[in-house]
Amino acid sequence: MIEIAPGDPESAAPYGNLLPVVQLLLAHGNHFVPGREGFIVDPRGGAACELELPLDFDLLAAEVTFPQTVDARPDRDGILDHATWCLISGPGERASRIVMPKRVD
């Protein structure tokens, strides 16, 4: 079992605690979104790692223990560390963030 520690927002790599999760998902067939390999740091805070395929939450439930600061949500296809605002996202998570302009007819 992989035990994920709470993230450290003061760290030079605040997403470091989530790297074993990304490595596990990659080892089981997921891939980075092309051109977005690894965690991309947002200058406003946090970082995001975007994967091409939906996150395998059955695999994660069997292999990973998350601290309370990490929200792993199958319904949102994402894993968010609230302590560091670092995110692992599948395509479902990114789709939920898309804001469509109102239609004007």
Side-chain angles (χ1 to χ4, degrees):
M1 198 66 140
I2 301 168
E3 189 164 333
I4 302 302
D8 178 4
E10 302 301 319
S11 169
Y15 49 82
N17 64 320
L18 296 178
L19 289 175
V21 178
V22 173
Q23 292 167 348
L24 179 66
L25 293 167
L26 294 175
H28 284 85
N30 213 321
H31 310 278
F32 293 116
V33 168
R36 305 225 8 119
E37 289 78 15
F39 278 88
I40 309 298
V41 177
D42 186 325
R44 298 167 292 172
C49 176
E50 297 179 348
L51 299 178
E52 281 192 311
L53 303 174
L55 306 184
D56 186 343
F57 284 93
D58 291 334
L59 170 67
L60 295 174
E63 299 289 332
V64 180
T65 301
F66 291 104
Q68 289 184 336
T69 58
V70 175
D71 189 11
R73 302 277 305 263
D75 60 320
R76 293 194 178 161
D77 198 21
I79 300 168
L80 176 64
D81 185 332
H82 289 281
T84 61
W85 296 107
C86 292
L87 170 71
I88 302 169
S89 72
E93 192 281 330
R94 290 187 300 281
S96 71
R97 285 188 277 150
I98 296 173
V99 178
M100 298 297 291
K102 289 187 179 184
R103 190 173 168 168
V104 214
D105 288 352

